[in-house]
Amino acid sequence: MKHLRRETVLAITLFSILLVSFSVNFVSAQSVPEWVKNTALWYGEGIVSETEFLNMIKFLIESGIITLESEDDVISEVMDAMVIIPHRNSDIENVGFYMPLNLEIPVDTTVTWINEDLVPHNIQSQDKFGKISDVFNSPTLNSGDRFEFTFKEDGVYNYYCTFHPWRVGSITVK
Ligand code: CU
């Protein structure tokens, strides 16, 4: 295995941090131009000076190719989660479970439910007896509608749909 110099590791680490902590305005990371990758690599190998490397980053920011976000935005992006209400969720048969059925998230995560079924649903938190509790309660979600809730406290939260009460899902907040 090729031995990487300390500077190379540092440069790769720095570049990775840059790519991760900046929102990249490319369709995907694969479309990062070759010269950007090369400059990062050359910087690591000492061919390109630190000034040139930083100038490249500056150019990328100034030209709007990468955009700086506040740390809070980066964190909130990481802390987002989704639950899909899939097609046939209304069926009483063993199909169409919430995806995921049991979502595990850290505290302060915003969960978004998306109705991808063809019929309306809702999301109602349940108490331990299975009755509606007022922790989170969505209006009727038509096909394509979303509902969001941010979990501030740990615990296990069950929820169901009042139109299709056989559909129960859970959110575990740790
Ligand atoms: Cu439903």
Side-chain angles (χ1 to χ4, degrees):
M1 193 181 148
K2 197 182 161 197
H3 179 71
L4 293 176
R5 289 190 306 131
R6 189 171 159 271
E7 290 84 342
T8 311
V9 174
L10 280 175
I12 291 169
T13 306
L14 174 62
F15 195 64
S16 305
I17 290 168
L18 286 168
L19 282 182
V20 169
S21 53
F22 297 163
S23 153
V24 181
N25 275 348
F26 297 119
V27 177
S28 73
Q30 284 173 339
S31 55
V32 173
E34 277 309 306
W35 68 269
V36 173
K37 292 179 193 165
N38 286 339
T39 308
L41 188 68
W42 291 337
Y43 168 63
E45 291 174 355
I47 299 166
V48 169
S49 73
E50 188 172 343
T51 308
E52 284 172 287
F53 182 71
L54 293 176
N55 277 341
M56 176 197 75
I57 299 298
K58 199 165 155 244
F59 167 79
L60 290 174
I61 293 169
E62 283 173 357
S63 59
I65 295 172
I66 54 178
T67 47
L68 271 166
E69 289 189 353
S70 76
E71 216 167 293
D72 284 351
D73 287 344
V74 174
I75 289 167
S76 70
E77 265 176 37
V78 172
M79 295 298 185
D80 280 357
M82 275 187 184
V83 176
I84 292 170
I85 306 168
H87 181 45
R88 296 190 69 191
N89 179 261
S90 59
D91 289 2
I92 202 160
E93 297 159 47
N94 268 349
V95 293
F97 296 105
Y98 297 114
M99 300 192 304
L101 186 56
N102 304 296
L103 178 68
E104 281 192 19
I105 52 166
V107 172
D108 281 335
T109 300
T110 299
V111 175
T112 304
W113 284 265
I114 303 170
N115 183 6
E116 293 192 351
D117 201 359
L118 303 174
V119 300
H121 295 281
N122 62 30
I123 298 295
Q124 306 298 333
S125 54
Q126 286 178 306
D127 64 18
K128 59 183 174 182
F129 305 109
K131 292 190 174 169
I132 296 178
S133 66
D134 60 4
V135 181
F136 52 96
N137 310 93
S138 83
T140 297
L141 303 173
N142 291 314
S143 193
D145 285 355
R146 293 167 178 238
F147 171 64
E148 272 188 10
F149 182 77
T150 303
F151 289 85
K152 297 283 185 191
E153 283 178 39
D154 59 2
V156 177
Y157 300 83
N158 289 330
Y159 61 88
Y160 78 127
C161 168
T162 53
F163 304 134
H164 315 101
W166 52 90
R167 287 298 175 197
V168 179
S170 70
I171 309 287
T172 301
V173 185
K174 289 181 177 175

